[in-house]
Amino acid sequence: MKTLTNLALAAALATGFVAVPAYAKEKAPAAPAQNFSKEFRAAAGPLQKALQAKDNAAALAALPAAEAAASTPDDKYTAGQFRYSISANLKDDKGMTAGAKAMLDSGAAPAAVLGPLNLHLGREAYFAKDYPTAERYLSEAIRVGSKAPDILILAADVQFKQKKYPAGLALAEEAVNAQKASGQPVSEDWYNRGLAAAYNAKLGADAVKWSSMLVRAYPTASNWRSALVLYRDSKSLDPQLTLDVYRLMRMTKSIAGERDYYDYAAIASERGLPGETKAVVDMAVASDAKLATSKNLAELRTAATPKITADLASFPASEKAANSAPTGRGAMGVADGYLSYGQDAKAIPMYRLALQKGGIDADAANTRLGIALARSGDKEGAKAAFQAVKGPRAEIASLWLLYLDVPPTA
């Protein structure tokens, strides 16, 4: 960014600098619109001759006299231009910044260089951690037309540094769209910046949005984990909804660490799902031999294992009762049980029966119907179920829909 900005400014200034006339007393300025004072022309003559001879030391020595003689806006602009050019030749960043500021403050800067000048000053303020100043200059650069993607993402980061998250997210999204429009790939880091900002600001809807953008562009298991953990931890989810988040983490292979496995298994245990409890603990041990020594996980498996046989044996009678019940509550319970054992083909008709009879949480039923259909390979049916989910569950349903579009890559 720094090198590119300097090059952009140098390119914008190049034509103007070459066109600056030799300030010999006998010659008038080449551009009639420019108003140079007699004193400045006299002081600038030796300076320009030194620059044309590529004698940077002599030019630097002559610069203070030219700056002191500058009185008109054109004088001050050109003096700043001299300082910028000499400093660029000497690779003096501070001098280049001082020159850019002098050009901008002169009020005589041509429209063509307003963007590069503001960008240069905004970028330097950013690296100096002077974020309010960086915001001012970068906002002006964007206003006058400097809307390259890397400028927009820098401006977004300035907003994030000041905890102005909504404004920063709007700029970051504009940067992403501009980068896509240019035909260039969007950096994974840009999505992560937006996601982190949404999380820090506790903007749940934005966190889901940026999670989806990240995963859609880079659907790795680690990004799926980032998306789902940030979603899980940024909201106060009830246990039933959290359970469905963990089920998506399981499908995306993004569960990691004892905490994830324990929380998942504990919620399943509390919901009366011994088969899923044991399956999660078994999965934890298979993923990491060290977890075989976890006392907490062992206790969950020990409590769940003896219950599995009786639990499975109860399903036929429960299913029969659910079919004749006036509401769908019994069917929902049976469906949840089948789902917990991975018996999706049996869970699907029971969720549909529960929805038909009513008297249940339709959003939860549609979420889990979508899960069962997704796991059974009915992608279109799953999409229809997830798209029917409203209310607080709409966000997790949208993440399941995303999974159907972009399952995790290796």
Side-chain angles (χ1 to χ4, degrees), residues 150-346:
D150 57 345
I151 297 173
L152 293 167
I153 199 65
L154 180 63
D157 204 45
V158 167
Q159 299 291 345
F160 296 153
K161 298 291 188 187
Q162 299 177 92
K163 298 184 179 180
K164 297 180 179 180
Y165 295 114
L169 288 169
L171 283 164
E173 186 169 3
E174 190 177 350
V176 168
N177 291 336
Q179 185 76 344
K180 288 180 179 178
S182 74
Q184 298 298 312
V186 179
S187 167
E188 188 172 355
D189 174 65
W190 291 14
Y191 292 113
N192 279 316
R193 289 191 207 185
L195 180 54
Y199 174 76
N200 290 335
K202 295 181 170 60
L203 299 173
D206 285 304
V208 173
K209 176 180 180 178
W210 280 88
S211 295
S212 300
M213 291 165 66
L214 169 65
V215 171
R216 190 172 294 280
Y218 297 94
T220 63
S222 62
N223 282 340
W224 265 109
R225 174 170 174 76
S226 294
L228 293 172
V229 168
L230 284 174
Y231 169 68
R232 180 195 69 190
D233 293 349
S234 67
K235 305 179 78 67
S236 298
L237 304 179
D238 65 57
Q240 290 281 19
L241 208 162
T242 304
L243 182 61
D244 293 336
V245 174
Y246 276 119
R247 285 166 171 164
L248 182 52
M249 292 179 74
R250 184 176 179 180
M251 290 292 286
T252 56
K253 299 179 172 34
S254 57
I255 298 179
E258 183 174 357
R259 178 202 163 179
D260 280 357
Y261 287 113
Y262 178 79
D263 286 352
Y264 182 2
I267 292 172
S269 177
E270 291 165 3
R271 299 302 98 194
L273 305 172
E276 192 163 7
T277 303
K278 180 179 181 298
V280 171
V281 175
D282 290 345
M283 184 171 58
V285 173
S287 71
D288 185 350
K290 293 179 182 178
L291 295 182
T293 62
S294 169
K295 182 180 178 181
N296 292 328
L297 289 172
E299 287 177 350
L300 285 170
R301 181 163 54 184
T302 298
T305 301
K307 300 176 183 178
I308 293 174
T309 301
D311 189 41
L312 285 169
S314 71
F315 284 175
S318 297
E319 187 172 342
K320 182 177 180 181
N323 278 303
S324 59
T327 71
R329 293 182 62 185
M332 182 77 172
V334 174
D336 282 345
Y338 280 137
L339 187 75
S340 73
Y341 284 101
Q343 296 183 22
D344 300 314
K346 293 183 178 180

